[in-house]
């Protein structure tokens, strides 16, 4: 992953673009906070909305909770068993699952939305505070990690 | 694809921390090849020899129908074979760092009011989510693990269970079709059975008939599983036998979840798109206080909130303690013995030396050495965070599984557990499940940690009952509660045991080289874990509430202290409560001791109830008691009541008691193996006496060594329980 490091602008508030992978790697030993899954309702994907104390000084509680709650809503939508998922299943059976080669499943669609949402949150809210969220799918949806850059 | 990892090709597909390449094993492909051959071959023959006549004689719809079913079967077969079952990628090092040595082997979460245990996977470096299991064949943790199917040479998990299930259904239908229409053909050609067509048809019918019985049986089995919302793993290990399944949502919802839910995403081999994020310097990097760091390490979520706070505080205590301790020498087996005096510094060593990542990797070899199991050793608890627990307890505890499922009495080893008792226990133990199991007396017990009620039934099952009862609090109890400095030892020992489990798990090779560990630790195969062997360190914790050590009654069990003990233990409880103030938490150990003693020799135990408890309680307190408890009780029957009530500083006693309690717990488990539970344990438990206490607490060790007549000779338990003496 090539990092883009344009020349710093003048002034003290120079901004740099960092590749997230680089940041993540460099932050591998930095402080990280992991938000674990909330299994109180079974194995459906939910993350705990409890505010970790490590982030107390880094970000406002409401912002954090909003982020996690939105993520939870996204996942609930992805795992919802309803008409669309049923039709998807029937179509897949009818085509001997060849449809998966061309069509994206509902879950994958929502995952894309989630990735976009996380990206946007990082840009707008967390990067200015020196934090970054990683997409939980990268870790098998076991944790949401916040790491301080 | 598990079946294609041969030839040195990486088993994992991209993604983070992929599994290392596994050697090519042709034997793995035999069943799947045979299944494919039979399926495709028999059906092809059927189409060639039987179907032309069928289409002519009846109608051409029949072959078309059979072909559709066959294609559907084949498609599901391919999906079940080639689809990623839901493999979790290995956790990255940074995530593992949080769960350092201090982390227990199990974490409990509450799912719909039922305590479910999450085990630390040493291979994948994370706590396995509920229903996740590690497949030893594929060497991966699989989400919603069902089983590893050799016929498709793949694990069946969350992502491909649907296809596997449909494969079974369609295969049963297909077999019935083939057999049925073959029979029609044969009946119509009774006079021409010598023709090749008839002969082939009859051969195909034989193959179909042969496979029909097992396939139909398996299909029926899975239909029941789907309706009940269970996985094969859970059914086979009897997790919910007589209990409540927290993962079920009702028959209809379970079926629709299997068949109609959206295809779950895969975790491996995902393409990580590089994201450019603008980071504004300078950003303030607030210094994380020690407490915050500790919180980070320990805070594992809602379920463990209480525990984590407790553990955090305990960690703080430990931190302060370690700061004073001398730096420990590197963890080498040969240094271990001379390192006995280092026992005091174990804690500090753990704290100071904790490698950032991969946790304890460098300690792994040392810990897997037999020396670790020596009770005499101050104990290899480098892994255990600074807790002065005895080594045997970790090993013992490791083996025992603590079924956090309240609803899984059957998870206990059948050999040692009395089903009924277990059920009773469970009923009481589970807070959320009143009706679960025969919870008569158990219900009376306080929620949570109860389960001691079992005692009456079988002593052997006592530890398991304790294990069950301890359930959730265990993980928390480990770290928590011991804010007190000395008492930390005891309580921490509990925690340590868990920690030690995790660290042990990480290091313990599966070859069973560890003496007790190999005995104690059930295989990690997803199929079965014998819960019976698990001694829950929480047991002492459960008893613990009465102690004032941490001042956190919740640690042990919610609500009233020492609740959940049935009658045999009630007296103990009372005694403990009486002694509680003196013991400061050592009381918790009394019950384990009692358990241990009881398991060993039930008859005398019952008679001596309270006095024994008092003895135990006293023993807990005192390191000196340890010392002389060892000689008195060690070699003799585990049930020896030779415990004397010496007066000793509580912390030491606690640690001692702890070790002993663990030994005790180990005792009944291994009853079948070692006679009286004492002999084999020799090094480890010598009847739970000598060595256990020594290994548990550093002072204990010191006492032990000093008290030894030989002077400077330490008994160490090696692999297989052999004992040898080492001059210190």
């Amino acid at each position: 992953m090539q990092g883009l490091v344009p020349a710093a602008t003048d002034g003290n508030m120079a901004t740099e673009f960092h590749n997230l992978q680089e940041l993540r790697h460099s932050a591998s030993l930095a402080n990280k906070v992991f938000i674990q899954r909330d299994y109180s309702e079974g194995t459906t994907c939910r993350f705990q909305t409890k505010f970790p104390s490590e982030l107390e000084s880094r970000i406002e509680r409401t912002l954090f909770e909003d982020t996690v709650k939105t993520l939870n809503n996204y996942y609930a939508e992805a795992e919802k068993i309803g008409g669309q998922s049923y039709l998807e299943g029937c179509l897949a059976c009818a085509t001997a699952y060849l449809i998966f080669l061309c069509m994206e499943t509902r879950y994958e669609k929502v995952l894309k939305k989630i990735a976009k949402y996380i990206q946007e949150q990082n840009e707008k809210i967390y990067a200015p505070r020196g934090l970054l969220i990683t997409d939980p799918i990268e870790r098998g949806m076991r944790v949401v990690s916040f790491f301080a850059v | 694809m598990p079946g294609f990892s041969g030839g040195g090709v990486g088993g994992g597909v991209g993604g983070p921390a992929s599994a290392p390449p596994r050697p090519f094993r042709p034997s793995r492909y035999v069943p799947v090849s045979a299944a494919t051959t039979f399926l495709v071959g028999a059906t092809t023959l059927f189409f060639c020899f039987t179907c032309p006549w069928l289409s002519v004689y009846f109608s051409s719809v029949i072959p078309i129908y059979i072909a559709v079913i066959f294609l559907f079967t084949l498609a599901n077969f391919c999906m079940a074979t080639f689809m990623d079952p839901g493999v979790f990628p290995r956790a990255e090092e940074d995530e593992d760092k949080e769960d350092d040595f201090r982390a227990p082997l199990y974490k409990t979460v509450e799912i719909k009011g039922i305590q479910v245990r999450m085990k630390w996977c040493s291979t994948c470096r994370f706590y396995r989510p509920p229903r996740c299991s590690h497949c030893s064949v594929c060497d991966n943790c699989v989400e919603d693990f069902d089983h590893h199917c050799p016929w498709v040479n793949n694990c069946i998990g969350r992502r491909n269970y649907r296809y596997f299930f449909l494969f079974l259904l369609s295969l049963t239908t297909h077999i019935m079709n083939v057999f049925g229409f073959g029979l029609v053909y044969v009946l119509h050609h009774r006079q021409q059975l010598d023709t090749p067509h008839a002969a082939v048809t009859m051969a195909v019918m034989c193959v179909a008939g042969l496979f029909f019985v097992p396939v139909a049986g398996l299909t029926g089995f899975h239909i029941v599983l789907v309706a009940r919302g269970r996985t094969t793993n859970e059914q086979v290990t009897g997790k919910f036998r007589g209990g409540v399944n927290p993962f079920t949502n009702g028959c209809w919802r379970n079926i629709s979840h299997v068949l109609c839910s959206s295809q779950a995403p895969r975790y491996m081999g995902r393409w990580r798109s590089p994201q450019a994020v603008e980071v504004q310097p300078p950003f303030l990097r607030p210094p994380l206080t020690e407490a915050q760091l500790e919180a980070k390490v320990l805070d594992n979520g809602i379920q463990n909130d209480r525990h984590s706070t407790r553990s955090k505080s305990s960690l703080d205590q430990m931190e302060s303690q370690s700061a004073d301790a001398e730096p420990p020498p590197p963890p080498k087996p040969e240094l271990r013995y001379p390192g006995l005096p280092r026992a005091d510094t174990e804690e500090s060593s753990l704290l100071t030396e904790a490698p950032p990542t991969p946790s304890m990797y460098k300690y792994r070899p040392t810990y897997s050495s037999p020396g670790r199991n020596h009770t005499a050793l101050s104990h290899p608890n480098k892994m255990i965070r600074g807790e002065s627990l005895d080594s045997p307890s970790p090993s013992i505890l490791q083996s025992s599984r603590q079924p956090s499922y309240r609803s899984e009495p059957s998870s206990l080893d059948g050999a040692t557990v009395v089903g009924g008792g277990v059920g009773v226990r469970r009923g009481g133990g589970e807070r959320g499940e009143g009706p679960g199991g025969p919870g008569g007396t158990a219900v009376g017990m306080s929620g949570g940690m109860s389960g001691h009620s079992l005692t009456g039934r079988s002593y052997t099952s006592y530890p398991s009952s304790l294990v069950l009862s301890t359930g959730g609090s265990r993980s928390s109890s480990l770290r928590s509660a011991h804010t007190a400095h000395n008492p930390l030892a005891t309580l921490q020992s509990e925690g340590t045991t868990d920690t030690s489990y995790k660290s042990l798990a990480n290091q313990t090779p599966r070859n069973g080289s560890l003496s007790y560990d190999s005995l104690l630790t059930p295989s990690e195969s997803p199929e079965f874990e014998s819960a019976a062997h698990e001694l829950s360190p929480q047991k002492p914790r459960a008893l613990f509430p009465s102690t004032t050590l941490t001042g956190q009654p919740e640690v042990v069990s919610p609500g009233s202290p020492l609740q959940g003990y049935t009658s045999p233990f009630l007296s103990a409880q009372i005694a403990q409560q009486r002694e509680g103030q003196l013991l400061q938490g050592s009381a918790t150990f009394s019950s384990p001791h009692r358990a241990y003693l009881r398991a060993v020799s039930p008859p005398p135990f019952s008679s001596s109830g309270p006095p024994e408890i008092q003895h135990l309680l006293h023993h807990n307190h005192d390191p000196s008691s340890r010392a002389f408890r060892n000689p008195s009780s060690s070699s003799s029957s585990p049930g020896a009541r030779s415990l004397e009530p010496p007066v000793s500083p509580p912390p030491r006693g606690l640690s001692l008691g702890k070790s002993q309690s663990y030994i005790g717990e180990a005792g009944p488990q291994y009853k079948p193996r070692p006679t009286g539970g004492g002999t084999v344990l020799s090094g480890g438990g010598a009847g739970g006496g000598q060595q256990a206490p020594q290994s548990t607490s550093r002072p204990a060790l010191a006492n032990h060594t000093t008290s030894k007549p030989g002077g400077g000779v330490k008994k160490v338990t090696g692999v297989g329980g052999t004992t040898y003496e080492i001059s210190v």
Side-chain angles (χ1 to χ4, degrees):
Chain A
M1 308 277 187
Q2 298 294 331
L4 304 175
V5 186
T9 58
D10 54 4
N12 297 330
M13 299 306 293
T15 60
E16 297 170 2
F17 286 94
H18 295 273
N19 184 293
L20 187 58
Q21 295 289 357
E22 286 181 355
L23 287 173
R24 187 181 298 125
H25 197 66
S26 64
S28 62
L29 295 180
N31 289 330
K32 279 197 179 183
V33 182
F34 293 104
I35 311 299
Q36 301 286 333
R37 280 270 293 267
D38 172 15
Y39 292 110
S40 59
E41 289 172 19
T43 49
T44 51
C45 186
R46 268 182 63 89
F47 289 96
Q48 293 172 356
T49 50
K50 179 179 134 359
F51 187 65
S53 48
E54 300 87 337
L55 294 179
E56 217 142 304
S57 54
R58 307 296 295 260
I59 187 137
E60 292 80 7
R61 180 182 291 259
T62 49
L63 285 174
F64 167 85
E65 284 178 359
D66 278 346
T67 305
V68 179
K69 283 190 182 140
T70 313
L71 283 177
N72 286 341
N73 289 338
Y74 272 123
Y75 287 119
E77 179 199 337
E79 294 184 354
K80 193 163 78 84
I81 298 174
Q84 185 184 350
S85 61
Y86 178 71
L87 284 175
E88 219 177 63
C90 288
L91 191 62
C93 279
T95 63
Y97 308 113
L98 295 170
I99 198 76
F100 287 138
L101 296 171
C102 6
M103 190 185 76
E104 208 176 45
T105 70
R106 176 199 175 88
Y107 215 115
E108 291 285 341
K109 287 192 189 126
V110 177
L111 285 179
K112 282 211 175 129
K113 279 203 271 182
I114 289 172
K116 217 166 104 197
Y117 171 74
I118 287 181
Q119 165 95 7
E120 170 204 328
Q121 290 280 294
N122 272 337
E123 282 169 5
K124 286 192 194 156
I125 297 177
Y126 292 94
R129 291 167 172 78
L131 290 173
L132 280 175
I133 308 182
T134 60
D135 196 335
I137 193 72
E138 292 166 11
R139 291 180 185 260
M141 304 241 280
R142 292 178 296 105
V143 291
V144 180
S145 70
F146 285 75
F147 62 95
V149 182
Chain B
M1 315 300 185
F4 298 84
S5 61
V9 175
V13 180
S18 307
R22 295 198 302 275
F24 183 68
R25 288 200 196 94
S27 63
R28 284 179 57 180
Y29 301 96
V30 168
V32 64
S33 312
T36 312
T37 307
F38 276 115
L39 178 65
V40 175
T43 309
T44 309
L45 288 174
F46 179 83
F47 275 119
C48 293
F49 291 87
T50 315
C51 280
W53 177 83
L54 284 170
S55 65
V56 165
Y57 197 81
F58 292 102
S59 87
S60 52
V61 171
I62 294 176
I64 292 173
Y65 159 73
I66 296 175
V68 166
I69 298 288
F70 173 63
L71 284 173
F72 189 65
T73 306
L74 211 54
N76 282 305
F77 179 71
C78 291
M79 292 295 269
T81 304
F82 300 124
M83 175 164 272
D84 179 344
V87 171
F88 281 111
R90 303 276 198 266
E92 290 172 14
E93 294 172 350
D94 51 10
E95 191 180 341
D96 177 41
K97 197 161 48 132
E98 283 198 350
D99 300 312
D100 210 341
F101 294 104
R102 305 162 196 245
L105 187 61
Y106 290 98
K107 264 201 312 190
T108 350
V109 289
E110 187 164 308
I111 300 181
K112 296 181 189 169
I114 297 167
Q115 296 290 320
V116 170
R117 203 178 43 185
M118 304 199 314
K119 188 172 180 182
W120 170 262
C121 183
S122 50
T123 314
C124 304
R125 321 290 298 176
F126 55 76
Y127 285 98
R128 292 183 198 141
R131 303 195 112 175
C132 162
S133 191
H134 190 94
C135 176
S136 48
V137 179
C138 306
D139 196 29
N140 286 314
C141 267
V142 175
E143 187 173 13
D144 287 1
F145 181 80
D146 192 82
H147 67 286
H148 180 92
C149 183
W151 302 104
V152 300
N153 192 30
N154 195 8
C155 278
I156 308 298
R158 176 184 178 194
R159 296 187 75 231
N160 63 353
Y161 183 77
R162 172 191 341 182
Y163 308 115
F164 177 75
F165 182 67
L166 290 174
F167 167 63
L168 285 180
L169 286 176
S170 55
L171 185 63
T172 310
T173 312
H174 180 61
I175 289 177
M176 290 196 297
N177 288 340
V178 165
F179 190 87
F181 287 109
L183 191 65
V184 167
Y185 180 95
V186 165
L187 289 176
H188 274 264
H189 293 81
R190 275 190 297 261
Q191 283 72 36
Q192 300 143 31
L193 288 180
D194 51 347
T195 59
H197 286 248
V200 166
T201 304
M202 281 198 293
V204 168
M205 272 178 63
C206 284
V207 168
L210 207 62
F211 279 100
F212 178 73
V213 174
V215 171
L218 193 61
T219 306
F221 175 68
H222 277 273
I223 289 173
V224 170
L225 285 185
V226 167
R228 285 179 160 185
R230 295 185 190 184
T231 65
T232 304
N233 189 32
E234 290 163 354
Q235 177 70 30
V236 163
T237 55
K239 283 209 169 103
F240 308 129
R241 199 182 305 160
V244 176
N245 179 1
F247 303 109
T248 183
N249 300 315
C251 179
W252 175 246
R253 286 230 175 104
N254 293 338
I255 294 172
S256 65
H257 172 70
V258 168
L259 296 178
C260 305
S261 63
S262 178
Q263 174 64 52
R266 67 181 164 163
Y267 303 130
M268 306 286 292
R270 289 194 82 88
W271 180 59
R272 279 196 190 178
S273 56
Q275 303 171 25
V277 174
E278 176 187 321
V279 178
Q280 295 181 358
F283 53 85
L284 296 176
R285 196 188 293 265
L288 289 182
T289 66
E290 189 70 9
Q292 281 178 322
L293 283 174
E294 290 305 322
K296 189 171 74 163
V297 168
L298 298 169
D299 187 0
N300 277 317
I302 295 172
Q303 297 302 331
N304 299 323
D305 274 352
R306 301 176 307 179
H307 308 306
S308 57
T309 49
R310 280 192 298 261
S311 52
K312 278 185 249 178
S313 58
S314 63
L315 277 178
D316 287 340
Q317 296 286 337
M318 286 164 43
E319 296 275 7
S320 61
Q321 284 185 19
S322 63
D324 303 328
E326 62 203 55
K332 290 183 194 163
E334 20 332 312
L335 291 177
R336 208 181 310 236
Y337 308 138
L340 277 182
R342 311 190 261 132
D344 296 326
T345 63
E346 294 259 288
E347 181 178 0
S348 60
S349 65
L350 282 176
L351 294 170
T352 55
E353 286 189 354
T357 52
S359 318
M360 304 310 286
Y361 277 8
K362 67 178 178 187
Y363 297 104
R364 200 161 286 143
T366 58
Y367 287 100
S368 54
S369 69
R372 209 155 53 132
N373 299 323
H374 300 299
T375 55
L377 292 178
S378 54
H379 94 149
N381 293 332
K382 261 189 158 217
M383 314 240 262
I384 299 174
R385 312 196 192 161
E387 300 197 348
S388 56
L389 291 184
D390 31 320
S391 50
S393 43
S395 55
I396 292 170
L397 290 172
Q398 189 173 15
S399 61
S400 64
R401 254 189 340 170
Q402 300 185 3
S404 57
Y405 282 104
R406 301 302 184 162
S407 59
E408 51 163 349
S410 57
S411 59
L412 296 174
D413 182 5
T416 56
V417 174
V418 173
V422 173
V424 169
R425 239 184 335 182
R426 278 181 293 120
E430 291 168 355
R431 272 170 249 153
E433 343 180 337
T441 49
V443 171
M445 302 193 288
S446 66
M449 309 303 137
S450 59
H452 303 281
S453 54
L454 269 192
T455 56
R457 290 302 174 91
S458 63
Y459 295 111
T460 54
S461 61
Y462 175 79
S464 32
S465 63
L466 287 178
V467 173
L468 289 179
S469 61
T470 49
S473 66
R474 180 174 35 143
S475 53
S476 57
S477 58
L478 282 184
R479 321 190 210 184
S480 58
H482 299 291
T483 48
H485 187 72
N486 294 331
L488 266 182
T490 28
L491 284 179
Q492 286 176 351
S493 63
E494 291 181 0
T496 1
T497 27
D498 283 343
T499 356
S500 58
Y501 290 152
K502 182 182 156 188
S503 47
L504 285 176
N506 287 343
Q507 300 179 358
T508 302
R510 291 285 171 203
N511 57 14
S513 62
L514 297 169
S515 59
Y516 291 127
D517 287 348
S518 56
L519 291 177
L520 295 172
T521 307
S523 69
E524 286 262 345
S525 69
E527 283 70 31
F528 187 82
E529 290 179 352
S530 64
H533 296 288
E534 290 178 349
L535 293 170
S536 102
Q538 292 176 347
K539 274 190 290 193
R541 273 195 296 262
L543 298 175
F544 200 78
S546 61
T547 66
T548 56
L549 259 189
T550 55
Q552 295 176 359
E554 67 214 12
V555 176
V556 179
S557 65
S560 64
L562 299 179
Q563 287 181 5
Y565 289 99
T566 52
S567 52
F569 292 90
L570 283 177
S571 59
Q573 290 181 5
I574 295 167
Q576 285 180 2
Q577 284 175 351
R578 251 183 285 129
E579 304 293 328
Q581 284 128 20
L582 298 175
L583 293 179
Q584 295 185 1
S586 62
T588 55
F589 297 103
S590 59
S591 60
H593 290 286
R594 274 181 295 116
Y596 169 74
L597 294 173
R598 188 176 308 110
V600 177
S601 57
F605 179 84
S606 54
S607 59
S608 65
E612 176 190 5
I613 294 166
Q614 298 205 6
H615 284 302
L616 289 173
L617 294 176
H618 287 300
H619 283 289
N620 290 337
H621 298 299
D622 238 21
S624 57
S625 61
R626 256 188 318 204
F628 86 94
R629 194 167 25 159
N630 301 333
S632 58
S633 58
S634 56
S635 47
S636 57
S637 64
R641 315 278 188 237
S642 56
L643 301 176
E644 284 164 22
V647 179
S648 60
R652 300 211 179 143
L654 289 175
S655 55
L656 178 59
K658 192 162 194 169
S659 60
Q660 296 197 351
S661 59
Y662 286 122
I663 303 284
E665 294 173 2
Q669 286 184 358
Y670 298 97
K671 255 171 58 168
R673 268 177 284 202
T675 53
T679 39
V680 170
L681 293 181
S682 66
Q690 298 176 348
Q691 304 189 350
Q694 295 173 2
S695 56
T696 49
S697 58
R698 296 181 277 248
L701 286 171
N703 292 338
H704 177 77
T705 50
T706 51
S707 63
K708 269 191 151 171
V713 175
K714 191 173 22 173
K715 279 194 180 174
V716 171
T717 310
V719 176
T722 53
T723 321
Y724 44 92
E725 295 183 7
I726 298 172
S727 23
V728 181

